[in-house]
Amino acid sequence: MLTLLFWLSLVLLIYIYFGYPLLVALLATSPRLVKKNPEHLPSVSIMIAAYNEAADIEATILNKLALDYPSDKLEILVVSDESEDGTDAIVERLADNSNYSIRLVRQVPRQGKTSGLNMLVPEATGEILAFSDANSHWDSLALRKLTSNFADPEIGYVSGKMVYVNDDGSLVGDGCSAYMKYENWLREKETRIGSIVGVDGGIDAMRKSLYQPLRADQLPDFVQPLKVVEQGKRVVYEREALLKEEALDDGASEFSMRVRVTLRALWALKDMSQLMSPVDFGLFAFQMISHKLLRYLAFIPQALLTVTAVLLAGKGPVYLVTLTGLFIFYGLAWTGKRKESGGHHLPVYYAAPYYLMLLNTACYRATASFLKGEKKVIWNPRKG
């Protein structure tokens, strides 16, 4: 039994991190191309949910006003989730002094981002809904890059690319962590075979006609794209639509965010479990299971592999080599955590193991909360 668990765990981990990407890359050699048109400029409503974002909301709105997009085809809608720090007054002042259409909707009592977006959508006049976080800064061409995809009638939802920047706005390295390089590469390949199964959330757009109101506890960044697939449209990745965020060297904040997002994603997988039926959704069901469900639960085969490798270490060289590799991996992850705590920049051989362990530990914590029936609805601004 120990031997069987060892091999099942090893094969499953190899499949999750290497086998699935390889299969997707092979399938992507016969791509379903997106028929983009850079001159396709539909009317757009930019949606921003804010709670106590006085420190960031003005810069975020000014960033959207500076986008390279026709002013008569753009409006900005902000839902304030019972903010108490002057966020509302800032938005109203900007609205009074701008030639653009800027509108504020106040949600009372506080109910969270999803309920706020449900309130905003009926107020939107745009053909396209674009979603921005209250602290998200987009590249000036980002909206044009997003909307160019909607020239293709098969496209229902488009997600952009987040890059990390320094205080002066310059890219941190090439702008992406090792994990995000991997994830973005996978999104490119998934776009070529049909739809992606994970979006950024801070720089997304969809056809208003496809929007479906969600429950307050549902994660819009996860469930809304799945609703689009359910309606027969594609969800794709646009790597030239850039969202710029300041890099945070704060593992604790990253961990808390990952726990929260993973918990809501697990509930989303439960709510949208019909999409994991290969009979009804074919290739996309395979993607959902491989890219999301198995990824979120990867901590299980990882733990089993570690335990069985320890117990079988004296039974043969393959077990000893595996155990040695795991100890090296854990050692690099721990060293990466220590160095990050000390304010050091992490090279990839520390950053990748550390971030993978952070993700898997967060998934474990989220799964435990999921099994207890816990849900997260409201949020607080991320402090950097």
Side-chain angles (χ1 to χ4, degrees):
M1 179 60 70
L2 283 178
T3 302
L4 178 62
L5 285 175
F6 172 89
W7 286 107
L8 285 176
S9 300
L10 180 61
V11 169
L12 189 54
L13 284 172
I14 291 173
Y15 172 73
I16 292 171
Y17 294 113
F18 301 101
Y20 172 69
L22 178 60
L23 286 174
V24 170
L26 291 174
L27 291 172
T29 56
S30 299
R32 290 179 62 186
L33 299 177
V34 179
K35 303 178 183 68
K36 300 180 188 180
N37 181 358
E39 303 305 317
H40 183 68
L41 300 172
S43 57
V44 178
S45 299
I46 297 180
M47 324 284 282
I48 303 174
Y51 168 70
N52 286 353
E53 295 282 2
D56 297 307
I57 193 66
E58 181 169 3
T60 298
I61 292 176
L62 292 176
N63 168 257
K64 302 306 178 290
L65 297 180
L67 292 171
D68 181 5
Y69 207 83
S71 60
D72 61 333
K73 293 187 175 183
L74 186 64
E75 68 174 356
I76 298 173
L77 283 76
V78 180
V79 58
S80 173
D81 196 19
E82 202 176 10
S83 296
E84 304 166 331
D85 67 341
T87 294
D88 298 17
I90 294 171
V91 176
E92 289 172 338
R93 171 172 55 81
L94 291 171
D96 290 341
N97 294 282
S98 175
N99 294 324
Y100 283 78
S101 174
I102 302 173
R103 287 183 282 159
L104 173 72
V105 175
R106 184 168 172 83
Q107 179 172 247
V108 179
R110 189 178 179 208
Q111 299 174 62
K113 178 180 179 179
T114 308
S115 291
L117 292 178
N118 287 341
M119 286 183 65
L120 278 188
V121 171
E123 303 291 326
T125 62
E127 176 188 345
I128 301 297
L129 306 176
F131 304 103
S132 168
D133 290 335
N135 61 349
S136 293
H137 287 201
W138 294 1
D139 179 76
S140 61
L141 293 175
L143 190 54
R144 282 181 176 264
K145 297 297 183 180
L146 289 174
T147 58
S148 68
N149 291 269
F150 292 108
D152 187 334
E154 290 190 354
I155 305 304
Y157 196 110
V158 185
S159 185
K161 175 183 179 180
M162 185 189 73
V163 294
Y164 289 117
V165 297
N166 297 303
D167 292 339
D168 62 0
S170 61
L171 289 181
V172 176
D174 66 357
C176 291
S177 66
Y179 175 78
M180 283 311 302
K181 288 179 191 174
Y182 166 83
E183 189 68 23
N184 288 334
W185 176 86
L186 199 49
R187 287 174 180 173
E188 285 196 47
K189 300 303 180 185
E190 288 180 334
T191 293
R192 292 168 67 87
I193 65 175
S195 289
I196 61 176
V197 293
V199 303
D200 183 85
I203 182 164
D204 291 353
M206 68 177 293
R207 297 184 191 275
K208 183 185 177 185
S209 60
L210 297 176
Y211 185 90
Q212 295 189 9
L214 304 178
R215 297 195 316 269
D217 62 286
Q218 290 182 308
L219 180 64
D221 307 344
F222 197 106
V223 179
Q224 203 61 249
L226 297 182
K227 293 283 189 181
V228 168
V229 172
E230 190 176 38
Q231 294 174 76
K233 298 297 183 180
R234 295 174 63 189
V235 178
V236 298
Y237 169 65
E238 175 51 71
R239 65 178 179 179
E240 294 185 10
L242 300 182
L243 159 65
K244 300 177 180 180
E245 286 202 359
E246 291 184 10
L248 290 182
D249 294 323
D250 183 357
S253 296
E254 179 77 12
F255 179 78
S256 298
M257 182 271 289
R258 288 295 168 188
V259 172
R260 183 179 71 254
V261 169
T262 302
L263 175 58
R264 298 187 74 182
L266 289 172
W267 283 109
L269 287 173
K270 181 177 183 294
D271 291 342
M272 302 298 292
S273 59
Q274 67 272 18
L275 294 182
M276 290 187 280
S277 167
V279 174
D280 297 318
F281 291 94
L283 179 58
F284 189 77
F286 161 75
Q287 293 176 242
M288 280 271 287
I289 294 168
S290 300
H291 192 169
K292 290 301 177 183
L293 181 62
L294 293 181
R295 177 83 67 82
Y296 289 138
L297 299 180
F299 67 88
I300 298 174
Q302 180 184 342
L304 287 174
L305 182 65
T306 302
V307 171
T308 55
V310 168
L311 296 175
L312 294 169
K315 304 286 187 178
V318 67
Y319 306 115
L320 183 59
V321 168
T322 301
L323 183 60
T324 302
L326 286 168
F327 281 165
I328 292 172
F329 174 82
Y330 293 139
L332 290 172
W334 176 252
T335 303
K337 183 180 187 301
R338 295 290 298 273
K339 285 183 175 293
E340 186 205 56
S341 299
H344 299 288
H345 174 71
L346 299 183
V348 67
Y349 51 85
Y350 286 133
Y354 167 54
Y355 197 71
L356 187 60
M357 282 301 299
L358 183 147
L359 285 173
N360 283 353
T361 306
C363 287
Y364 161 74
R365 183 74 62 84
T367 302
S369 297
F370 173 79
L371 293 175
K372 294 176 185 176
E374 296 177 11
K375 294 184 177 183
K376 298 288 185 182
V377 176
I378 60 175
W379 83 103
N380 291 301
R382 189 182 73 173
K383 302 302 182 184

